[in-house]
Amino acid sequence: MKAVVTGCAGFIGSHLCDRLLAMGMEVVGIDRCDRPWNLALALPSPRFHLVSQDLSTVDWNSVLHHCRFIFHLAAVAGVRSSWGQPFGHYCQTNIHLTQVLLDAALHCPTLERLVFASSSSVYGLVAAMPTPETTPPQPISPYAVTKYAAEQLVNLYHQNYGLPTVTLRFFTTYGPRQRSQMAFAKTIQAIAQGTPVDIYGDGQQRKDFVYVTDVVQSMVLAIHCPNLSGELINVGSGTTTAVQGVFALIADLMQKSWRYVYHPMPFGDGSPSWADLTKAQKVLGYAPQVDLKTGLLSQIKDWQEHYCG
Ligand code: NAD
């Protein structure tokens, strides 16, 4: 059973590859591979095939040959760096290359499902908490605009060509291998080094933080559940926690004192989030398994083992 994973060497993509390989699948992973160490578990497997290339140069005919599942995770992620000149790069990767992949997928007769990794950031500053999928998106960052545009493309290819797509809106994901620019990774590093933790805004904004293996589980469910084509589904923890409270918990779990410095909230950031999981539970049978304390402990342990010193 062959699956193709774009963004396979990224934070979430690498965990997905580990899981698919453990399930006995043949996995073709595509990535520019800035962080090849994320593939340390996958690479030794004879069923893992790495295409170490930019998506724009991939020979889709050969990559998608006999493919049953596509997981499209490759993207330029990050809200703050999406303003200004880098936006062109966000558009090229997150929108244009998504369309190229969708077009290629039309010529893959064995395809059973294409799972697209979207983001809760498309919701923006919404009033409805917890937020159901029926809430109209109001993106407040250029990054979120590109993810919403890509969602629309995925939907168009489903509506017009019957492509068997599922869009999952991931809420803020954390765990081992989290990108070093993301808040928890930065906080663990700052606390370990005794430097101040950056807090944007007043630190009281509440977010839905979901552990990476729960996100991976949602993708596995999304290829196995029948009658899902064209669906759009939230994937979060279903709980919400104040950012500063999480940082304090990290310091507590690391058994370290910590200092912090407040910064103004950057544009496009800071919207509270809280996933309404009613649909995920109903159509996917999704139920998050990892609580915040357990998940943070495993992210801290991973940092201490692999990045410390
Ligand atoms: P990541 O940056 O760790 O992984 C993305 C991977 O895509 C990277 O390894 C990168 O090298 C690869 N990539 C990007 N452009 C490429 C290109 N043109 N060709 C080949 N490879 C390319 O990001 P992540 O946190 O693992 O996020 C994965 C997906 O989930 C993204 O689509 C992101 O928008 C979405 N998402 C993530 C979060 C989160 O909290 N991490 C939340 C919501 C949605």
Side-chain angles (χ1 to χ4, degrees):
M1 216 184 279
K2 175 174 163 181
V4 169
V5 178
T6 75
C8 67
F11 163 41
I12 302 173
S14 61
H15 284 276
L16 174 64
C17 289
D18 294 346
R19 176 71 189 278
L20 297 176
L21 290 167
M23 290 165 61
M25 286 201 194
E26 184 191 348
V27 178
V28 176
I30 310 169
D31 203 296
R32 289 186 305 229
C33 274
D34 298 342
R35 287 163 288 157
W37 52 86
N38 282 347
L39 293 171
L41 293 178
L43 280 171
S45 168
R47 284 181 283 103
F48 184 68
H49 313 281
L50 176 62
V51 180
S52 187
Q53 265 174 255
D54 193 281
L55 280 189
S56 60
T57 62
V58 166
D59 173 359
W60 289 111
N61 275 341
S62 92
V63 163
L64 295 182
H65 189 60
H66 284 150
C67 171
R68 289 176 64 178
F69 310 114
I70 300 173
F71 298 89
H72 181 38
L73 282 83
V76 191
V79 165
R80 286 171 211 158
S81 51
S82 66
W83 297 96
Q85 191 267 341
F87 184 61
H89 184 43
Y90 276 75
C91 289
Q92 162 66 6
T93 305
N94 299 0
I95 305 175
H96 182 220
L97 291 178
T98 296
Q99 188 269 342
V100 170
L101 171 61
L102 291 164
D103 233 39
L106 293 179
H107 307 287
C108 176
T110 49
L111 186 69
E112 291 174 26
R113 188 131 307 161
L114 186 154
V115 179
F116 172 60
S118 188
S119 165
S120 61
S121 65
V122 302
Y123 289 122
L125 290 167
V126 292
M129 291 281 168
T131 309
E133 293 82 351
T134 47
T135 306
Q138 302 177 56
I140 58 166
S141 72
Y143 162 71
V145 167
T146 65
K147 295 302 285 189
Y148 187 46
E151 275 190 3
Q152 298 295 309
L153 284 166
V154 169
N155 191 41
L156 282 182
Y157 275 75
H158 168 70
Q159 295 286 345
N160 287 280
Y161 298 105
L163 206 63
T165 62
V166 174
T167 294
L168 301 178
R169 283 185 180 155
F170 302 156
F171 283 64
T172 307
T173 308
Y174 73 99
R177 307 178 200 160
Q178 191 186 45
R179 274 179 283 122
S180 56
Q181 308 94 318
M182 291 186 74
F184 292 5
K186 278 172 63 182
T187 299
I188 292 168
Q189 176 147 359
I191 291 172
Q193 294 173 342
T195 55
V197 173
D198 294 321
I199 296 181
Y200 295 94
D202 65 4
Q204 297 312 306
Q205 65 276 21
R206 300 180 76 83
K207 295 244 179 216
D208 185 316
F209 299 108
V210 57
Y211 191 66
V212 65
T213 54
D214 285 329
V215 167
V216 166
Q217 176 64 7
S218 74
M219 289 187 274
V220 170
L221 290 167
I223 60 171
H224 286 129
C225 293
N227 307 321
L228 274 188
S229 271
E231 294 289 357
L232 185 157
I233 306 164
N234 283 340
V235 175
S237 68
T239 59
T240 179
T241 317
V243 170
Q244 189 161 341
V246 184
F247 295 169
L249 178 57
I250 291 174
D252 199 37
L253 296 171
M254 293 175 77
Q255 298 180 335
K256 297 248 187 201
S257 59
W258 70 300
R259 297 178 290 135
Y260 48 86
V261 54
Y262 288 112
H263 301 278
M265 184 63 77
F267 290 130
D269 225 333
S271 45
S273 65
W274 184 6
D276 183 327
L277 297 181
T278 310
K279 183 171 180 183
Q281 282 157 356
K282 189 170 165 210
V283 303
L284 286 181
Y286 167 79
Q289 300 294 312
V290 181
D291 64 77
L292 190 60
K293 185 175 169 190
T294 309
L296 285 175
L297 275 171
S298 89
Q299 182 166 349
I300 292 165
K301 184 162 172 279
D302 173 72
W303 188 84
Q304 287 165 339
E305 286 173 0
H306 294 104
Y307 305 104
C308 188

